[in-house]
Amino acid sequence: MINVTLKDGSKMELENGSRVIDAAMKISEGLARASVAGEVNGIAVELTTTLTDGDTLNILTFNSDEGKKIFRHTTSHILAQAVKRLYPEAKLAIGPAIDDGFYYDFDSEVPFTAETLGKIEEEMKKIVKEKLPLERFTLPRAEAIKLMQEKDEPYKVQLIEELPDGEEISFYRQGEFVDLCAGLHLDTTGKVKAFKLTQVAGAYWKGSEKNKMLQRIYGTSFPDKKELAAHLEQLEEARKRDHNKLGRELELFTTSELIGQGLPIILPKGAKIMQILQRFVEDEEYKRGWLQTKTPYMAKSDLYKVSGHWDHYQDGMFIMGDEATDKEVFALRPMTCPFQYQAYLNRARSYRDLPLRYNETSTLFRNESSGEMHGLIRVRQFTISEGHLMCTPEQLEDEFRGCLELAIYMLKTLGLYEDVSYRFSQWDPSDREKYIGTEEQWDEAQGTMQKILDHLEIPYKVGVGEAAFYGPKLDIQIKNVFGKEDTLITIQVDQMLAEKFGMVYTDKDGQKKNPYIIHRTSIGCYERTMALLIEKYAGAFPAWLAPTQVIVMPIIDKQADYCAEVCKKLRDNGFRVELDDRNEKIGYRIREAQLEKVPYMLVAGDKEMENGHINVRCRKDGESKDMSVDEFIAMLKEEVETKRI
């Protein structure tokens, strides 16, 4: 017999050779049915893993993050098996679990359509009913390659060939289907009770445009149909809020194939929102002691060589010229830091000049791959609320706190604060080529930043390998309506670039020292922020942010002049207002204004005109209220000035 310790600290006696699933069964049959995997001594393992005396055990269900990942990873294998049954010539690429679902990439001559997905789902249901056990096995490299060559799976062969020497090569078998995979997986296909294939998209092999375009099938899965139905309903709501759809319908932005992917055209309404945001940010930063700079959009390669971008970020830059043939090579800037450092170097500095806070509304250019482009969230040209702060070591924590407080103020004002999470992005010491600096410098920088974050009680997760090439950072993360996570705001601690650029200050003791640098954004990328706001409010922006705050409508032509006077008075008070005096029925015009999600509609007939009043219809509740023009102005002014959301 063996003894294992359960999550609650109690002991369980089991027969020698018992597996995780046996322990789950001994606790209860219901837990065994719901079990997805186990956690033995803090490490996730499969249900078929054999336990040993003294192990600590936690049974994982679908309700855990790891459980969802394993459940959906197995569903991706069921998808691949179904595709191979129906389309044997299809070649397998990769099929991981992702947030809220899974996908699998295929190289197939048969185009996957909505009709095709229906057939694949039916075959998947058969595989689930067959309750096939998933069995893991390993092979030496030569045998693994031979197996995949025999199965005519060239992408799997390539993946095996790229594995480091000594790496264990594992496979999973379910019935006739075998796939190269590191795991983890369910013990049987029978546990996947509810699933849905949601869409097909193109995806380059390994994400590179140089490789072949594959077909990616997305899906999601749950242990029961009720959870799936609720998720699909949520997904339908997400589609309605998708900024890529809604932003075009509301004429906030558009794109043109003649201009290129990832280069959106911000239309007048969208440009107005960005202007409001930019003025708000710049005014708020000025109040907090930030000094505005305006630097060039491009620079010689020499600048990027000093900063390290040339060696560590060149693939992400737009470069003009060839160093082999051209006397000078230029590149569009992917970030502003090396430019603002030149402002610091404009004259000698002493400790009395610090902290020195430079901000800039920066237009940046990054050569993102076409597969990464998505509406306004990931683009190749964008505008960012960027800033760089030079300070002494003693000032670092207070200045970092100030940057964080500014970011939180922005998020709360926009109504996004409840939607974000924090990631402490650190370097990956096993990938030295990705970073500059010594191990000691990184340990010092990350240690300093960790002390600050812990002291400020920031609830962060650690992201190894997510640091900038020159320093660790706090990433403020946010998800779009489909659950895809992106970075919205960053605050970085940099102890390295000041030395590279020869940035010094004279300290109290007369010694020359390098300042600490904080890289930060306050609202992030304006395009990405606008995309998230479109989705957050489903296009119905708060009044202070709405491109059109008020539409004034006469019931008939007789009141048109009066409505024009109301518009002028509103404009004179700083409001964004439009007059809709078209020869259309008033009901039709009101419905159109509602579809455009205008916060307030003011209607005037004979009665209102005689009394100097207007009939106010609010977008929120649809009710109408008779008010004087001055009363409405006072009400709207208070709403806008307090930035009510």
Side-chain angles (χ1 to χ4, degrees), residues 56 132 154 190 243 254 256 272 382 407 441 450 477 552:
T56 60
L132 301 173
H243 83 276
T254 188
S256 165
K272 176 54 70 175
F382 56 95
Q441 286 175 309
Q450 184 170 346
Q477 303 290 104
V552 184

Side-chain angles (χ1 to χ4, degrees), residues 591-620:
R591 282 193 299 274
E592 279 214 332
Q594 288 171 333
L595 289 173
E596 291 176 15
K597 303 182 186 290
V598 177
Y600 291 100
M601 291 143 275
L602 309 186
V603 178
D606 286 342
K607 179 182 173 184
E608 287 80 14
M609 185 170 64
E610 289 168 9
N611 297 332
H613 280 208
I614 31 107
N615 186 271
V616 180
R617 291 173 179 266
C618 178
R619 176 188 63 196
K620 291 177 187 175

Side-chain angles (χ1 to χ4, degrees), residues 43-284:
I43 299 171
V45 299
E46 289 168 341
L47 292 170
T48 52
T49 301
T50 302
L51 297 165
T52 59
D53 191 50
D55 283 342
T56 60
L57 173 64
N58 177 30
I59 304 298
L60 297 177
T61 67
F62 184 81
N63 292 330
S64 66
D65 289 343
E66 188 67 29
K68 287 183 177 67
K69 181 180 175 183
I70 293 166
F71 190 95
R72 288 165 172 161
H73 190 182
T74 298
T75 317
S76 78
H77 278 226
I78 295 171
L79 163 62
Q81 184 176 14
V83 168
K84 290 296 285 186
R85 282 184 178 183
L86 294 169
Y87 310 101
E89 299 305 313
K91 310 303 178 197
L92 303 174
I94 58 171
I98 55 174
D99 287 347
D100 292 332
F102 59 89
Y103 70 78
Y104 212 112
D105 291 344
F106 301 94
D107 185 354
S108 172
E109 295 299 318
V110 177
F112 295 142
T113 62
E115 184 181 353
T116 311
L117 294 190
K119 292 178 182 177
I120 295 170
E121 281 184 354
E122 289 304 312
E123 193 62 38
M124 289 173 71
K125 289 175 184 175
K126 294 178 186 176
I127 295 167
V128 170
K129 284 182 181 178
E130 291 169 20
K131 298 182 179 179
L132 301 173
L134 281 91
E135 301 166 342
R136 183 180 186 272
F137 65 94
T138 61
L139 289 175
R141 181 183 295 266
E143 291 182 36
I145 290 173
K146 183 182 177 186
L147 175 64
M148 290 294 100
Q149 285 175 335
E150 289 172 351
K151 290 184 173 293
D152 194 19
E153 297 291 357
Y155 297 100
K156 301 294 183 181
V157 171
Q158 183 181 340
L159 290 172
I160 295 169
E161 290 174 341
E162 291 173 352
L163 289 172
D165 291 338
E167 186 89 3
E168 184 177 65
I169 303 171
S170 60
F171 297 84
Y172 280 81
R173 179 186 290 112
Q174 57 196 55
E176 83 288 353
F177 179 73
V178 174
D179 200 356
L180 172 73
C181 187
L184 301 169
H185 282 287
L186 298 173
D187 54 333
T188 169
T189 62
K191 285 187 172 176
V192 183
K193 301 295 185 186
F195 55 85
K196 180 69 179 175
L197 301 182
T198 53
Q199 65 168 318
V200 180
Y204 290 108
W205 169 236
K206 294 198 163 184
S208 172
E209 299 173 42
K210 298 174 184 176
N211 295 330
K212 187 171 184 179
M213 175 71 80
L214 307 177
Q215 295 186 78
R216 175 172 294 178
I217 299 179
Y218 284 96
T220 191
S221 58
F222 290 85
D224 66 63
K225 292 179 180 178
K226 283 185 180 178
E227 287 183 81
L228 175 62
H231 175 77
L232 293 177
E233 187 177 335
Q234 184 181 359
L235 200 61
E236 185 57 35
E237 177 63 24
R239 289 194 186 99
K240 291 177 185 175
R241 289 174 173 263
D242 180 7
H243 83 276
N244 221 350
K245 171 180 178 288
L246 203 50
R248 295 169 195 273
E249 290 175 355
L250 294 173
E251 295 189 355
L252 300 173
F253 75 96
T254 188
T255 52
S256 165
E257 289 186 9
L258 287 173
I259 292 175
Q261 196 175 14
L263 299 169
I265 300 158
I266 309 299
L267 297 172
K269 290 180 182 178
K272 176 54 70 175
I273 293 171
M274 289 182 69
Q275 182 189 56
I276 296 163
L277 288 172
Q278 182 178 330
R279 288 174 175 173
F280 164 52
V281 168
E282 290 176 353
D283 288 347
E284 189 61 37

Side-chain angles (χ1 to χ4, degrees), residues 309-328:
H309 290 99
W310 201 253
D311 292 330
H312 296 273
Y313 203 80
Q314 194 174 149
D315 289 344
M317 297 167 69
F318 290 100
I319 297 169
M320 294 165 282
D322 185 339
E323 287 194 299
T325 57
D326 296 319
K327 190 174 181 181
E328 288 186 327

